[in-house]
Amino acid sequence: MLSDETRVVSFTEFVEAFERPLWQALSAAFGPDVGGEACCEALAYGWEHWDRVSETGNPGGYLYRVGHNRAKRMKTKGLRL
């Protein structure tokens, strides 16, 4: 388990490096509204579960899948933002 300070620093560094590419990928796949919302939800999930997510071999890819699944659910349910 990461210390609180280490957790904050490592997640902040991750977001600085991957927020834009994650947003771009999800927006390209689902449009800017749904993609942007999915990106925010994926990053929120990442923060809540950072101890586990950071240990994966590819946290950016992991959170892309989280965002992708959320966006598909939004599209399936016909949610409009």
Side-chain angles (χ1 to χ4, degrees), residues 10-11 15 20 27 29 35 38-39 42 46 55-57 61 69 74-76 81:
S10 68
F11 186 74
V15 169
R20 184 174 177 87
S27 292
C39 179
E55 295 296 318
T56 67
N69 290 336
M74 283 187 263
K75 289 277 200 181
T76 301
L81 302 174

Side-chain angles (χ1 to χ4, degrees), residues 7 10 12 15 18-19 26-27 37 42-44 48 52 54 61-63 65-68 71 73 75-76 79:
R7 183 175 194 251
S10 68
T12 300
V15 169
F18 287 97
E19 178 181 25
L26 291 168
S27 292
E37 182 67 23
L43 291 173
E48 291 173 26
R52 182 168 35 107
S54 66
Y62 186 95
L63 292 182
R65 291 306 305 171
V66 169
H68 189 272
R73 239 178 281 136
K75 289 277 200 181
T76 301
L79 299 177

Side-chain angles (χ1 to χ4, degrees), residues 18-48:
F18 287 97
E19 178 181 25
R20 184 174 177 87
L22 181 61
W23 179 85
Q24 288 173 328
L26 291 168
S27 292
F30 297 99
D33 292 336
V34 172
E37 182 67 23
C39 179
C40 290
E41 289 191 25
L43 291 173
Y45 177 91
W47 171 247
E48 291 173 26

